[in-house]
Amino acid sequence: MAASTADTAPAAPRVKRDRTHYLYIAVIVAVALGIAVGLIWPDAAVELKPLGTGFVNLIKMMISPIIFCTIVLGIGSVRKAAKVGAVGGIALGYFLVMSLVALAIGLVVGNVLHPGEGLHLTDALKQTGHDQVASDALPPVDFVLSIIPMTFVSAFTQGQVLQTLLVALLAGFALQAMGSAGEPVLRGVEHIQRLVFRILSMVMWAAPVGAFGAIAAVVGSAGLDALKSLAVLMLGFYVTCFLFVFVVLGALLRIVAGLNVFSLFKYLAREFLLILSTSSSESALPRLIAKMEHLGVSRPVVGITVPTGYSFNLDGTMIYMTMASLYIADALGTPMSVGEQIPLLLFLLLASKGAAGVSGAGLATLAGGLQSHKPALVDGVGLIVGIDRFMSEARALTNFAGNAVATVLVGTWTKEIDKARVRRVLAGELPFDETTLLDEGRSSVSDLPEPREDGEKELARA
């Protein structure tokens, strides 16, 4: 009888295996191979740069539609526009404060280390510095005007994050005002979002190729000898970024949200690996949006905080510009007093917003800001060109960490986070679906509560 029952009992549902862990093992192997190729065959390695550039461009191709869908779904499903305004105001206020904190930390470390003393400039290096002045970095007024796209569609075709953000906000508020009449449009946007994330999950399988090409090209072009004289600056910068992320951001996350920063970063480990291999925080932007929603932060908070943070919350870039400015001034034999440093750094704080989205924004912003505020220092930018790519790794990682923490903090302050779900996700009880990059149990427009007060129902649906 027992045997008969066992034969007729329904089979347990088959658990779908997550094969994407093989992908990230392949990325690690590709990075190691890229370093080896760069050291052994540097000339050939430099020619591999298009592999890395192509992969990052594939990711960037998906950013505008993902931001548009996320924001439209988030705002369109919220009944009160004031809630969206509150989220945006809190986020921008936090970004400004943290940018000033990052500048201050870089200022202190730079004045303690004085890494640029004793260096000498050649004419070639001076010219290299002037070549880095980006024509794309706009003054404040032009920057604000540049946020307005020429047409509704050009916001998507030009790859400008802030233009996409503006169009998405307008569309979201319009659908919000339409009420039930706008629900069919919201469901259409939801289906488009599913398509876009599915394409992104396919693109991610090219990550090992992109990582191999990017790392090989960097090591092949810079080599090890080029790094020796700048080791102090690099080490100081990396240590400063580490302290900022794990001490400053870690303390904020613990005090405000009651979360351990190591648990959050473990959850985002694959995104950190992707950034490390491509040296671009933008490569992980779409995945950060998906993972923050899965974590339990509401769509309006994720949709507004993450895209805006990628333009206004560049903590790593702030530290970089501070230390690089002091390094250059020391190298030129014209060290700046504190009275000269503070106005320059406040100027760079504003200039960094005008260069949002500029390729190589860290170096371009530094050169452009120095050209406008203290032209004599532009000669020294050529000193750090050789290691800028290696420093950009820490910049990108710090920027990403800052935006991840900011999303959790803003969600906590606005009470738009499901804390019970957060604990379960970080404990590994609710794994992220790597195949769709979407939380199918919570992605429907009808499943978006307002406000998120009943965490138990959310957990039951999950």
Side-chain angles (χ1 to χ4, degrees):
M1 184 72 179
S4 174
T5 304
D7 291 339
T8 59
R14 188 175 182 179
V15 179
K16 192 174 182 180
R17 288 188 63 188
D18 176 18
R19 300 182 183 276
T20 56
H21 63 280
Y22 295 118
L23 169 62
Y24 292 92
I25 293 173
V27 170
I28 295 172
V29 173
V31 169
L33 289 176
I35 294 173
V37 170
L39 293 175
I40 299 171
W41 301 290
D43 293 336
V46 172
E47 301 301 320
L48 297 174
K49 185 177 181 181
L51 294 177
T53 303
F55 173 71
V56 173
N57 288 343
L58 280 173
I59 299 293
K60 289 182 178 181
M61 173 182 73
M62 313 303 301
I63 289 176
S64 289
I66 286 174
I67 288 176
F68 179 80
C69 293
T70 303
I71 293 178
V72 169
L73 289 173
I75 296 177
S77 60
V78 175
R79 288 193 291 273
K80 295 180 180 179
K83 179 189 294 185
V84 178
V87 171
I90 291 172
L92 288 174
Y94 170 80
F95 294 158
L96 178 61
V97 171
M98 292 312 296
S99 293
L100 291 172
V101 170
L103 284 172
I105 291 175
L107 188 70
V108 172
V109 175
N111 279 290
V112 170
L113 292 181
H114 294 291
E117 291 180 347
L119 294 179
H120 302 284
L121 280 176
T122 64
D123 291 336
L125 282 176
K126 290 181 180 180
Q127 183 58 43
T128 302
H130 287 280
D131 290 342
Q132 293 299 320
V133 178
S135 59
D136 294 333
L138 302 173
V141 175
D142 292 339
F143 167 64
V144 173
L145 293 176
S146 72
I147 298 175
I148 304 173
M150 294 295 292
T151 67
F152 188 92
V153 179
S154 66
F156 303 95
T157 59
Q158 294 180 0
Q160 297 291 331
V161 172
L162 291 181
Q163 289 185 0
T164 306
L165 182 63
L166 175 63
V167 171
L169 286 171
L170 294 174
F173 283 123
L175 287 170
Q176 185 185 72
M178 291 170 65
S180 59
E183 288 186 9
V185 180
L186 282 174
R187 296 194 180 280
V189 173
E190 183 181 2
H191 289 302
I192 293 174
Q193 185 192 49
R194 291 174 184 268
L195 171 64
V196 171
F197 273 116
R198 178 67 73 171
I199 295 173
L200 178 65
S201 67
M202 295 164 59
V203 168
M204 290 306 301
W205 285 97
V209 178
F212 172 74
I215 293 294
V218 172
V219 175
S221 61
L224 295 179
D225 292 337
L227 307 180
K228 290 180 181 178
S229 65
L230 297 157
V232 175
L233 175 63
M234 287 183 62
L235 181 60
F237 178 63
Y238 270 71
V239 170
T240 305
C241 289
F242 180 88
L243 293 175
F244 177 81
V245 169
F246 290 100
V247 176
V248 178
L249 295 182
L252 271 175
L253 191 64
R254 170 63 71 181
I255 294 169
V256 176
L259 298 178
N260 186 306
V261 70
F262 293 100
S263 298
L264 178 63
F265 290 167
K266 180 183 178 182
Y267 172 64
L268 299 171
R270 293 185 175 186
E271 287 67 44
F272 281 113
L273 175 61
L274 182 62
I275 293 169
L276 186 65
S277 59
T278 61
S279 192
S280 171
S281 59
E282 285 188 345
S283 63
L285 188 154
R287 290 180 58 88
L288 179 61
I289 290 175
K291 279 204 160 181
M292 286 294 104
E293 284 191 19
H294 175 75
L295 183 65
V297 184
S298 72
R299 266 182 175 163
V301 171
V302 174
I304 294 172
T305 306
V306 174
T308 308
Y310 262 72
S311 293
F312 291 96
N313 188 38
L314 306 175
D315 299 327
T317 303
M318 296 294 106
I319 296 171
Y320 165 81
M321 290 195 301
T322 305
M323 297 186 65
S325 299
L326 299 179
Y327 171 82
I328 290 170
D330 289 341
L332 294 176
T334 57
M336 293 184 288
S337 65
V338 175
E340 293 175 307
Q341 293 170 16
I342 293 176
L344 171 62
L345 297 176
L346 292 177
F347 178 84
L348 288 172
L349 173 64
L350 297 176
S352 66
K353 313 311 178 193
V358 177
S359 178
L363 193 60
T365 303
L366 175 66
L370 293 177
Q371 176 68 34
S372 301
H373 193 78
K374 204 170 180 66
L377 295 182
V378 178
D379 288 347
V381 175
L383 281 168
I384 60 173
V385 170
I387 62 160
D388 179 72
R389 179 58 186 266
F390 289 91
M391 295 178 73
S392 73
E393 309 281 358
R395 276 204 310 267
L397 291 169
T398 305
N399 291 341
F400 178 82
N403 285 316
V405 172
T407 306
V408 176
L409 295 180
V410 174
T412 302
W413 284 323
T414 57
K415 295 180 172 58
E416 287 288 313
I417 186 170
D418 187 338
K419 293 185 177 180
R421 181 182 177 87
V422 171
R423 286 191 291 271
R424 293 191 65 190
V425 170
L426 295 184
E429 297 176 18
L430 297 174
F432 180 70
D433 188 350
E434 294 283 349
T435 58
T436 64
L437 305 185
L438 281 172
D439 186 355
E440 298 292 344
R442 291 158 32 114
S443 58
S444 173
V445 171
S446 61
D447 288 341
L448 291 170
E450 195 243 334
R452 273 180 190 269
E453 292 176 351
D454 192 350
E456 295 302 321
K457 290 183 178 179
E458 284 295 308
L459 293 174
R461 269 202 297 272

